[in-house]
């Protein structure tokens, strides 16, 4: 089927049965019955209550709720209340995050203008945008937001900003001419207009070809609604961890229960003892600790220009193996600037012009005179290419307003997309000069002479070939080229487009949106860290490859492809191809989401940057969606996990480095919690197997789990950033948290704590007082776990990483020690916590035994673990 852009405007009007007078009221009514209203539809939303209760499906949360129920059965009402507060708080946080994420479609709707001007019954009338129907004639003028997709049938210097759809900030000059090519991207459909874009200049008439969900914005809304948010690697690891933990605790409790029954203990007593062990084994505060650590991580990142919208995304950053980045504004400055010029028959870098050379000076002045842009108080007003010329003038101390005042403009022919030229007439040194600038392919054939240091010469074929060759070289390097020419005319001579001929060539201005200064180093850091940077842009392939080469993303031209090439590939073929592609040019929203999915199917964690509406679906699909804070639309921000307040690629790399450190810290905090709990379990198992009294009262275990464990775990989570983290490859997300090496470490460190506690317990039993034995076991377990917090800071010895480099661990240790001694020595607390009064000798043994696991750990790390 022939598409609208391939047909003439007359053919489109015939196809849709519309005349220049527009539709009648009867036509509108009939078409509304066929096409419906011009509005975006939404899928069925999950209610806030359903979202809230859905938070309780997580296995770790279920384990915590079972622990609360068990604590209630044991009469430990305080622990039940504490655990339920933790669970409900997490559920509330999760619900708030979900509700915020659902705002994307609402912001998409806000992009459609509430009113539109249409021609009906040969009259221009204003209607609500949702009443537009297919076949309506939209009347557009500067400042209008476009409310439907359509084919242009009339254009008068019409320029439209389509950045929300294409990601490119330059306004597009529109034309009514048919485009015969089959594979044409949105950015190249110069005879079409699209919902969500707006008119920057000129006026035009459009016949509406699509409304509502059939528009390009509608297709994006559908993609956004169906794009699936993935669980982060940490969430997946914690899910698996919860399953294994539940299984392990159940097996241990069943074993204890069975042993007790065989030893002749009452059924109820055996059951309650097994249940109390389960309470000891569950790290009740784990989810809250992780939330607090991640929250601190977000605060640190916010100071470094990265605002985290979804808490668990902080850790996901550390697993990123592919970054799909937009070009404009993220990798580049989003500001056009002159890079090179061709004047006086030679190519000169922009910073090596000599204003004492009359031709070079004249070239700069003419670029400022045939120009409407101004820059004042760091505010830029005008077309980006003209602003680039103004900036070049400022570089050589030429203020555009002073120059224009000195050489006043007396007439002009505005830029026209059909002519591709702009001309002004200025009074320069008692001469009336017409200056013309524009596309070289148009201007070159209107030139008859060339300005050189040898004087004004007749242009020869050799001159033309040289100019064309320079233009080709500029274009190959992704530079946008403007040609400037002039001629003298009679004073007060009226001018028209026909006068743009018999011109004298001055030179070429070659400009581009240059890479940010820090981008190249950031890309290099990514590659060193085993992360593949990929450029995805709506811009032309030649421009994209030029930038990608400069910053190190592209090594070989074969690594760059255009969007239409993706369309010819199946999902399986695309999965095979993505590893060999570093640059995607002229892509659509569908292409972006397919690229992200292809990488994910290959087992990668993907970060995707974007700022436009067109980026929304891919941002939501990616493991980490990164929106631009300065240039980003609300749709992009709401679909993202992270927002960059400086729109800078290097900020993503810093965030990834922080994410890697955070994951390591969280893993160390979990190691600390589990090894301490393992120590308690081993002590209980020892006492059960040997038929000894119960070593701990339930209140002892609750005190350790919710107080003396929580603060050191949070402190470990706040361990300072490891500068060497970006020298490692991304971690394998398929490696479970509770793998063989991690479990072995938990068991060994738990055994060390258990041995010290058992020795203390035996010393207490030797006195003949069970309460003293229980108190010594409790105090030793508690203190050894507090000291163990220093062991868990790193794989390396604390003497290697710095004993005092983490002030939070010392603060947590101090608070924990003071809390323990308050329980041991304050009379009102000793009864509540079921502890006996200890002698000085017994306290001395507790201190010595508590430090033994720490000393063994540090001795091993100091001798056998080498620092990276």
């Amino acid at each position: 089927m022939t598409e609208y852009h391939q047909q003439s405007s007359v053919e489109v009007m015939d196809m849709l049965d519309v005349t220049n007078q527009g539709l009648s009221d009867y036509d509108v009514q009939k078409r509304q019955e066929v096409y419906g209203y011009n509005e975006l539809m939404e899928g069925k939303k999950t209610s806030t209550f359903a979202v809230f209760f859905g938070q309780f499906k997580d296995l770790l949360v279920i384990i915590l709720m079972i622990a609360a129920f068990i604590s209630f059965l044991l009469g430990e009402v305080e622990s039940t209340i504490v655990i339920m507060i933790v669970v409900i708080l997490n559920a509330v946080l999760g619900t708030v995050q979900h509700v915020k994420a659902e705002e994307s479609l609402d912001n998409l709707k806000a992009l459609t203008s509430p009113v539109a001007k249409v021609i009906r019954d040969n009259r221009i009338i204003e209607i609500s945008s949702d009443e537009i129907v297919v076949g309506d004639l939209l009347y557009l003028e500067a400042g209008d937001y476009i409310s439907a997709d359509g084919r242009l049938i009339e254009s008068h210097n019409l320029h439209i900003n389509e950045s929300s759809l294409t990601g490119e900030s330059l306004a597009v000059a529109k034309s009514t001419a048919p485009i015969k090519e089959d594979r044409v991207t949105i950015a190249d459909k110069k005879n079409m207009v699209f919902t969500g874009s707006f008119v920057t200049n000129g006026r035009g008439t459009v016949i509406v070809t699509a409304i509502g969900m059939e528009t390009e914005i509608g297709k994006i809304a559908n993609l956004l609604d169906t794009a699936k948010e993935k669980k982060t690697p940490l969430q997946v690891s914690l899910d698996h961890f919860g399953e294994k933990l539940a299984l392990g605790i159940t097996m241990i409790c069943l074993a204890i229960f069975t042993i007790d029954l065989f030893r002749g203990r009452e059924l109820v007593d055996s059951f309650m003892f097994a249940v109390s062990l389960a309470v000891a084994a569950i790290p009740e505060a784990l989810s809250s600790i992780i939330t607090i650590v991640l929250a601190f991580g977000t605060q640190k990142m916010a100071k470094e220009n990265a605002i985290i919208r979804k808490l668990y995304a902080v850790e996901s950053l550390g697993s990123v193996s592919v970054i799909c980045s937009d070009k404009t504004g993220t990798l580049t400055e989003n500001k056009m600037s002159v890079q090179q010029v061709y004047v006086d028959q030679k190519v000169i870098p922009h910073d090596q012009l000599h204003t004492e050379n009359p031709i070079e000076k004249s070239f700069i002045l003419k670029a400022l005179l045939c120009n409407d842009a101004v820059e004042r108080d760091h505010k830029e007003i005008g077309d980006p290419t003209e602003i680039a010329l103004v900036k070049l003038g400022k570089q050589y101390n030429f203020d555009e307003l002073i120059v224009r005042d000195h050489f006043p403009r007396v007439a002009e022919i505005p830029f026209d997309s059909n002519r591709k030229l702009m001309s002004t007439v200025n009074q320069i040194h008692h001469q009336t000069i017409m200056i013309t600038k524009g596309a070289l392919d148009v201007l070159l054939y209107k030139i008859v002479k060339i300005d050189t240091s040898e004087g004004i010469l007749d242009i020869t074929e050799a001159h033309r070939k040289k100019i064309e060759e320079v233009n080709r070289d500029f274009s190959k390097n992704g530079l946008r080229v403007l040609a400037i020419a002039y001629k003298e005319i009679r004073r007060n001579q009226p001018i028209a487009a026909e006068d743009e001929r018999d011109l004298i060539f001055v030179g070429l201005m070659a400009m581009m949106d240059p890479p940010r200064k820090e981008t190249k180093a950031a890309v290099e850091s990514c590659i060193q860290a085993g992360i593949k940077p990929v450029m995805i842009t709506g811009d032309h392939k030649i421009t994209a490859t030029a930038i990608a080469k400069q910053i190190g993303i592209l090594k070989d031209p074969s690594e760059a492809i255009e969007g239409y090439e993706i369309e010819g590939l199946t999902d399986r073929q695309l999965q095979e191809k993505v590893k060999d592609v570093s640059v995607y040019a002229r892509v659509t929203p569908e292409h972006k989401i397919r690229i992200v999915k292809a990488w994910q199917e290959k087992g990668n964690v993907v970060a995707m940057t974007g700022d436009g509406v067109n980026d929304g679906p891919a941002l939501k699909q990616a493991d980490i969606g990164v929106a631009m804070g300065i240039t980003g639309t609300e749709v992009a921000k709401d679909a993202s996990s992270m927002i960059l307040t400086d729109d800078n690629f290097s900020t993503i790399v810093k965030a990834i480095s922080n994410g890697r450190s955070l994951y390591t810290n969280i893993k160390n905090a979990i190691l600390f919690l589990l090894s301490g709990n393992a120590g308690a379990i081993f002590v209980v198992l020892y006492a059960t197997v040997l038929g000894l009294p119960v070593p701990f009262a339930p209140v002892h275990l609750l005190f350790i789990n919710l107080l003396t464990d929580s603060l050191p775990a949070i402190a470990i989570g706040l361990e300072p950033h490891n500068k060497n983290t970006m020298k490692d490859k991304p971690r394998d997300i398929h490696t479970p948290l509770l793998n063989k090496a991690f479990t072995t470490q938990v068991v060994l460190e738990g055994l060390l704590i258990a041995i010290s506690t058992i020795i203390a317990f035996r010393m207490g039993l030797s006195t003949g007082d069970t309460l003293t034995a229980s108190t010594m076991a409790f105090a030793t377990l508690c203190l050894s776990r507090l000291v163990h917090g220093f062991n868990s800071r790193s794989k390396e010895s604390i003497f290697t990483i710095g004993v005092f480099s983490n002030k939070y661990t010392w603060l947590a240790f101090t608070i924990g020690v003071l809390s323990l001694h308050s329980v041991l020595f304050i009379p009102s607390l000793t009864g509540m916590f079921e502890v006996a009064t200890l002698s000085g000798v017994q306290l001395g043994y507790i201190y010595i035994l508590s430090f033994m696991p720490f000393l063994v750990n540090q001795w091993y790390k100091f001798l056998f673990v080498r620092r990276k």
Side-chain angles (χ1 to χ4, degrees), residues 19-179:
T19 68
N20 288 327
Q21 295 183 348
L23 301 175
S24 66
D25 290 342
Y26 176 77
D27 292 331
V28 171
Q29 185 179 344
K30 286 294 181 187
R31 289 175 189 236
Q32 275 182 345
E33 291 172 5
V34 175
Y35 299 106
Y37 284 90
N38 182 30
E39 57 189 8
L40 299 179
M41 307 302 291
E42 294 184 59
K44 187 179 178 182
K45 283 192 174 181
T46 310
S47 70
T48 305
F49 282 110
V51 172
F52 177 76
F53 287 111
Q55 305 296 317
F56 295 93
K57 294 178 182 176
D58 182 80
L59 189 57
L60 266 181
V61 173
I62 292 169
I63 292 172
L64 286 175
M65 290 175 71
I66 292 170
F69 179 68
I70 291 167
S71 298
F72 179 76
L73 290 179
L74 291 169
E76 300 295 327
V77 179
E78 297 91 345
S79 65
T80 303
I81 292 169
V82 171
I83 294 169
M84 288 311 297
I85 288 172
V86 167
V87 169
I88 291 168
L89 182 63
N90 282 328
V92 169
L93 288 173
T95 304
V96 170
Q97 292 288 348
H98 179 90
V99 171
K100 282 185 177 180
E102 287 303 308
E103 292 173 359
S104 299
L105 270 176
D106 295 332
N107 284 307
L108 250 181
K109 286 182 171 182
L111 273 176
T112 56
S113 175
V115 293
K117 295 187 285 288
V118 297
I119 299 170
R120 288 183 181 173
D121 289 324
N122 208 25
R123 291 182 301 119
I124 297 176
I125 62 171
E126 200 170 79
I127 63 169
S128 174
S129 64
D130 62 1
E131 294 176 9
I132 295 172
V133 296
V134 172
D136 255 327
L137 298 183
L138 283 183
Y139 179 76
L140 303 175
E141 53 190 349
D144 286 349
Y145 267 87
I146 297 169
S147 306
D149 291 4
R151 170 70 162 85
L152 202 61
I153 59 175
E154 189 180 320
S155 172
H156 301 279
N157 196 27
L158 185 68
H159 285 67
I160 295 178
N161 185 310
E162 296 174 342
S163 59
S164 63
L165 278 169
T166 64
E168 298 309 312
S169 55
L170 293 177
V172 180
K174 292 294 182 177
S175 160
T176 58
I179 301 168

Side-chain angles (χ1 to χ4, degrees), residues 581-764:
V581 179
S582 300
V583 175
Y584 298 88
R586 303 313 257 179
V587 293
T588 66
E590 290 87 350
H591 296 152
K592 290 183 179 183
I593 206 165
R594 283 190 68 197
I595 294 164
V596 171
K597 281 182 177 177
W599 276 112
Q600 288 173 333
E601 289 297 324
K602 290 179 73 67
N604 291 277
V605 176
V606 183
M608 170 79 193
T609 77
D611 55 5
V613 177
N614 60 328
D615 297 317
L619 288 173
K620 195 171 180 181
Q621 175 66 38
D623 299 279
I624 296 289
V626 183
M628 304 298 112
I630 299 171
T631 59
T633 60
E634 287 304 311
V635 175
K637 290 175 185 176
D638 285 344
S640 68
S641 313
M642 180 171 82
I643 299 171
L644 305 183
T645 57
D646 60 354
D647 290 11
N648 197 329
F649 181 82
S650 65
T651 302
I652 305 171
V653 180
K654 282 190 281 187
I656 288 172
S657 181
N658 282 329
R660 288 187 173 190
S661 287
L662 268 174
Y663 177 78
T664 301
N665 292 348
I666 288 170
K667 191 173 179 180
N668 288 339
I670 294 171
L671 172 67
F672 166 76
L673 290 171
L674 293 187
S675 54
N677 284 6
I681 291 169
F682 290 142
V683 174
V684 173
L685 277 171
Y686 172 82
T688 304
V689 171
L690 296 184
L692 300 174
V694 177
F696 310 113
V699 71
H700 294 163
L701 299 173
L702 188 66
F703 177 86
I704 293 169
N705 278 7
L706 292 181
L707 185 63
T708 56
D709 264 9
S710 298
L711 291 178
I714 293 170
I716 291 164
L718 301 179
E719 184 70 21
H721 176 60
N722 183 351
K723 293 178 182 177
N724 295 317
T725 188
M726 289 299 278
K727 292 180 181 177
D728 298 329
K729 301 297 178 191
R731 68 182 178 85
D732 184 358
I733 58 169
H734 301 295
T735 302
L737 186 64
L738 213 59
N739 58 19
K740 186 178 179 181
F742 188 81
T743 305
T744 303
Q745 193 173 356
V746 166
V747 170
L748 290 175
E749 292 183 3
L751 276 172
L752 288 174
I753 292 170
I755 289 166
S756 289
T757 306
I758 289 167
I759 292 170
F761 184 54
R762 279 290 191 182
M763 285 179 172

Side-chain angles (χ1 to χ4, degrees), residues 373-414:
V374 292
E375 183 187 37
R376 275 292 171 271
D377 301 322
H378 305 292
K379 290 184 180 178
E380 300 165 349
I381 304 167
D383 182 84
T385 54
E386 292 195 333
I387 289 168
L389 302 181
V390 167
K391 285 183 173 293
L392 179 70
K394 291 266 172 67
Q395 202 174 322
Y396 292 95
N397 299 316
F398 291 118
D399 184 282
E400 71 277 11
L401 295 182
I402 295 172
V403 170
R404 292 168 196 168
D405 187 54
H406 194 62
F407 304 117
R409 184 184 297 185
V410 295
E412 66 180 289
I413 310 173

Side-chain angles (χ1 to χ4, degrees), residues 671-672 675-676 744-754 756 784-785 787-800 849-865:
L671 172 67
F672 166 76
S675 54
T744 303
Q745 193 173 356
V746 166
V747 170
L748 290 175
E749 292 183 3
L751 276 172
L752 288 174
I753 292 170
S756 289
S784 62
R785 285 169 78 156
V787 177
H788 185 53
F790 294 102
N791 280 329
S792 300
R793 283 178 54 193
S794 171
K795 288 181 178 179
E796 302 156 35
S797 166
I798 63 166
F799 301 106
T800 305
L849 289 168
S850 297
F851 273 86
M852 289 308 295
F854 168 79
L855 294 173
V856 173
N857 250 301
Q858 291 302 311
W859 171 77
Y860 174 80
K861 288 180 178 181
F862 191 77
L863 290 182
F864 300 107
V865 179

